[in-house]
């Protein structure tokens, strides 16, 4: 990617002489868990309609000067009559090369663009895992990681404004 060129995740500005680089090194399954505490009894009920909740977690860390890991965790919990029918938790990681971007753009890449790249893999794994557990396939709806990132940044800024001791002099 040439200096000053727009990226899919935003307009990063490189310092003069630095080339902007972003690419995926590896996307991999990091952790997988499935529990079905009501099996096999739940399979004998015809009238259950589970309530399903989905939780999303995202974490990023620096591996080297230009390599970063983004972890995306999806937890799906299905309940019926206040009992857990199944719990599926899948965590994928991605290693990304990010070079020549300012700090704000790098945070945006790690917090929004990288999870978007990982999501199709985790979506397929969750769907297959739930189905292999004997339940109808769970189809995760698309997630707007850009909007979640903006919301997170706004909350972070609001917390910084509320904590006057945390502000630099």
């Amino acid at each position: 990617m040439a200096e000053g060129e727009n990226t899919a995740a935003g307009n990063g500005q490189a310092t003069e002489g630095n080339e902007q680089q972003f690419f995926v090194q590896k996307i991999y399954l990091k952790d997988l868990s499935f529990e079905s505490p009501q099996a096999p009894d739940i399979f004998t009920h015809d009238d259950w309609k589970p309530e399903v909740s989905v939780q999303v977690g995202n974490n990023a860390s620096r591996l080297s000067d230009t390599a970063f890991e983004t972890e995306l965790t999806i937890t799906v919990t299905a309940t019926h009559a206040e009992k857990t029918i199944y719990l599926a938790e899948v965590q994928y990681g991605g290693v990304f090369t990010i070079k020549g971007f300012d700090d704000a753009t790098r945070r945006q890449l790690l917090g929004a663009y990288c999870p978007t790249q990982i999501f199709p893999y985790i979506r397929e794994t969750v769907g297959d895992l739930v189905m292999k557990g004997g339940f109808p396939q769970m189809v995760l709806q698309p997630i707007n990681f850009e909007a979640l990132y903006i919301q997170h940044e706004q909350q972070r800024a609001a917390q910084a404004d509320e904590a006057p001791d945390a502000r630099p002099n």
Side-chain angles (χ1 to χ4, degrees):
M1 188 178 303
E3 180 181 348
E5 183 175 320
N6 290 345
T7 65
N11 293 331
Q13 296 299 316
T15 57
E16 195 167 285
N18 286 342
E19 182 181 343
Q20 290 182 337
Q21 294 180 356
F22 174 85
F23 60 89
V24 179
Q25 290 184 20
K26 174 77 71 182
I27 293 178
Y28 54 94
L29 178 63
K30 195 163 183 171
D31 193 13
L32 178 72
S33 174
F34 183 83
E35 299 173 30
S36 180
Q38 304 304 315
D41 294 337
I42 193 65
F43 300 126
T44 63
H45 298 276
D46 292 333
D47 61 341
W48 63 280
K49 299 219 184 305
E51 291 183 29
V52 178
S53 70
V54 178
Q55 294 179 328
V56 179
N58 180 20
N59 189 35
S61 60
R62 180 184 292 267
L63 303 175
S64 71
D65 286 345
T66 60
F68 298 83
E69 179 191 45
T70 293
E71 297 173 349
L72 181 61
T73 303
I74 302 282
T75 304
V76 179
T77 306
T79 59
H80 176 70
E82 298 184 22
K83 292 184 179 179
T84 299
I85 304 301
Y86 67 80
L87 173 71
E89 185 172 75
V90 179
Q91 182 180 61
Y92 262 78
V95 177
F96 302 88
T97 296
I98 302 174
K99 180 181 175 189
F101 292 93
D102 61 50
D103 288 344
T105 303
R106 184 176 58 247
R107 281 194 312 272
Q108 182 180 15
L109 286 167
L110 291 168
Y113 191 71
C114 294
T116 300
Q117 301 307 301
I118 296 170
F119 184 72
Y121 298 91
I122 207 167
R123 181 184 199 181
E124 178 183 28
T125 303
V126 167
D128 288 350
L129 187 61
V130 169
M131 201 166 60
K132 287 180 180 183
F135 299 96
Q137 185 180 28
M138 173 69 201
V139 178
L140 292 173
Q141 295 304 307
I143 297 173
N144 185 340
F145 289 102
E146 183 70 27
L148 290 176
Y149 174 76
I150 291 168
Q151 180 183 26
H152 173 75
E153 288 297 299
Q154 289 170 343
Q155 288 172 347
R156 194 171 80 148
Q159 288 173 350
D161 288 344
E162 292 173 7
D165 296 337
R167 283 189 238 158
N169 294 330

